Amino acid sequence: MTGEDDPYRRARHLAEAGRDADAEAELRAALAEEPGDADLLTLLGYVLRRRCDYPGALRACDAAIAAGPALADAHAERAESLMALVRDADAIAAAREAARLAPQEPAGHLVLARALAGAGRHDEARAAARHGLSLAPQSVAALLTVADVERRAGRRQEAERAAREALAIDPESAYGRWLLAMLDAERLRVGRSLRALREVARDDPARPDVISMTWPVRSLLSALRRWLPAAVALVAVVAFAARWWAPAAGASRLLAALFAAVVAGFALRVLVPAGRLPWRCLRLVPGPLRRVTVGRAVTVVAMVALLCAYAMTGLGLILIPALVAAPVLGGLRAVERERR
């Protein structure tokens, strides 16, 4: 079946209108009559992926490839599902096959670029993205893929340039506006980033990206995870040294106060401009991710409170629970990665 057939066309239009449940129902009804139609199965994989049913999307793509092994779109969509499941090596292999089957089509090269970027192979990803762009220089999708790959590689200026080129062609591109908002987030332009994310969500109320709108909270916790345990450990080492060198006791209390003040200042810098929006959105994210984020926040608050208590009292035993909390913070981060 091709895109000219009514069931495929109707399902495609429903998906483009954001009516993914209706599109899925249309596709399943059509597949009941033609279960081996590779185009319908590929589109079903796309719709299921949009509905976050990644295992189901992968099964649909596998069935599409079994029905039409030479269908490049099926391999490309399979790569997208594998990326969502964080199976980087398999995603790269599927994307390479899509690019091999349709070397003059940009789509396969673009999904390959995203798969390589997801695996941290930034130079290869940039080369694949640029090649895809060379095949379609005015393609918004190609420009946004270049922007995405450059952003992941830490090249923010290049990413912003490509995103703005895409938006010059299509000013309403939700993904282009989202990319610019996230680039602002990485530069701690908190208010501007959240305003842009709110506008993107307003334009597509059926699928608001509530996870992105919690970035001030999650980014703050991620930054603190990197150095707060080391700060607590340093305070503990200096406090322990006071057994042999008395001035170290005062130094450890001063360090504890300094680290607590730095955390408070950074939190104010990020959270005050953000207002209540990230916290309201946090209530809407998937339960496991919400619980992990709240757990990390509680752990950080407890560690900072213990630092403050030690700075005020000088009681070394107070540092023991702070040290115990450090691996808890790292463990919660690992759980968050698995949940996502």
Side-chain angles (χ1 to χ4, degrees), residues 62-306:
D62 287 341
I65 291 170
L71 183 62
D73 287 348
H75 290 277
E77 186 55 47
R78 183 171 186 269
E80 297 280 11
S81 296
L82 289 164
M83 279 189 279
L85 292 167
V86 200
R87 292 171 53 182
D88 294 331
D90 293 335
I92 291 170
R96 287 196 191 282
E97 184 64 9
R100 185 190 69 82
L101 289 168
Q104 297 307 313
E105 294 295 325
H109 301 284
L110 299 179
V111 72
L112 175 58
R114 293 194 298 276
L116 289 165
R121 295 162 61 173
H122 299 302
D123 290 341
E124 295 174 78
R126 291 170 60 211
R130 292 290 176 184
H131 182 63
L133 180 61
S134 71
L135 296 172
Q138 294 300 306
S139 166
V140 171
L143 284 165
L144 292 178
T145 299
V146 170
D148 187 27
V149 168
E150 296 286 16
R151 173 179 168 245
R152 293 190 191 204
R155 296 162 57 92
R156 292 175 183 145
Q157 289 186 341
E158 292 81 356
E160 182 173 351
R161 187 180 305 117
R164 291 197 182 282
E165 286 183 33
L167 288 170
I169 299 170
D170 179 11
E172 300 303 315
S173 169
Y175 189 60
R177 292 151 62 203
W178 178 89
L179 268 176
L180 286 181
M182 297 315 295
L183 287 167
D184 281 337
E186 291 169 6
R187 292 164 172 154
L188 290 184
R189 298 169 180 169
V190 182
R192 189 162 81 174
S193 173
L194 288 177
R195 282 193 298 273
L197 290 172
R198 190 185 295 114
E199 289 172 4
V200 171
R202 188 180 299 125
D203 291 346
D204 190 7
R207 285 193 304 274
D209 187 358
V210 291
I211 292 179
S212 290
M213 285 187 280
T214 64
W215 76 258
V217 176
R218 293 183 299 105
S219 295
L220 174 64
L221 293 173
S222 180
L224 293 177
R225 176 192 62 84
R226 295 188 180 98
W227 70 266
L228 184 56
V232 171
L234 178 60
V235 171
V237 168
V238 177
F240 186 71
R243 291 187 170 206
W244 297 276
W245 187 51
S252 65
R253 295 175 67 178
L254 181 61
L255 280 174
L258 176 62
F259 289 141
V262 169
V263 172
F266 186 40
L268 290 172
R269 166 71 179 83
V270 174
L271 297 180
V272 169
R276 293 180 295 172
L277 180 62
W279 302 104
R280 291 202 302 264
C281 291
L282 187 61
R283 296 197 295 267
L284 304 175
V285 304
L289 179 58
R290 180 178 65 252
R291 287 190 289 272
V292 168
T293 303
V294 171
R296 291 172 67 200
V298 169
T299 304
V300 166
V301 170
M303 292 174 73
V304 173
L306 290 166

Side-chain angles (χ1 to χ4, degrees), residues 1-80:
M1 182 176 289
T2 68
E4 296 302 319
D5 294 302
D6 284 347
Y8 183 97
R9 187 169 61 248
R10 285 197 300 269
R12 190 81 197 183
H13 288 167
L14 287 168
E16 289 171 353
R19 296 169 58 185
D20 294 331
D22 293 334
E24 181 183 350
E26 182 76 31
L27 288 165
R28 292 197 184 280
L31 284 166
E33 297 182 7
E34 299 183 69
D37 189 294
D39 291 306
L40 288 174
L41 287 164
T42 301
L43 183 55
L44 177 62
Y46 167 75
V47 170
L48 290 174
R49 177 168 60 85
R50 294 232 307 189
R51 302 194 72 189
C52 299
D53 181 3
Y54 304 127
L58 183 58
R59 288 193 295 271
C61 293
D62 287 341
I65 291 170
L71 183 62
D73 287 348
H75 290 277
E77 186 55 47
R78 183 171 186 269
E80 297 280 11

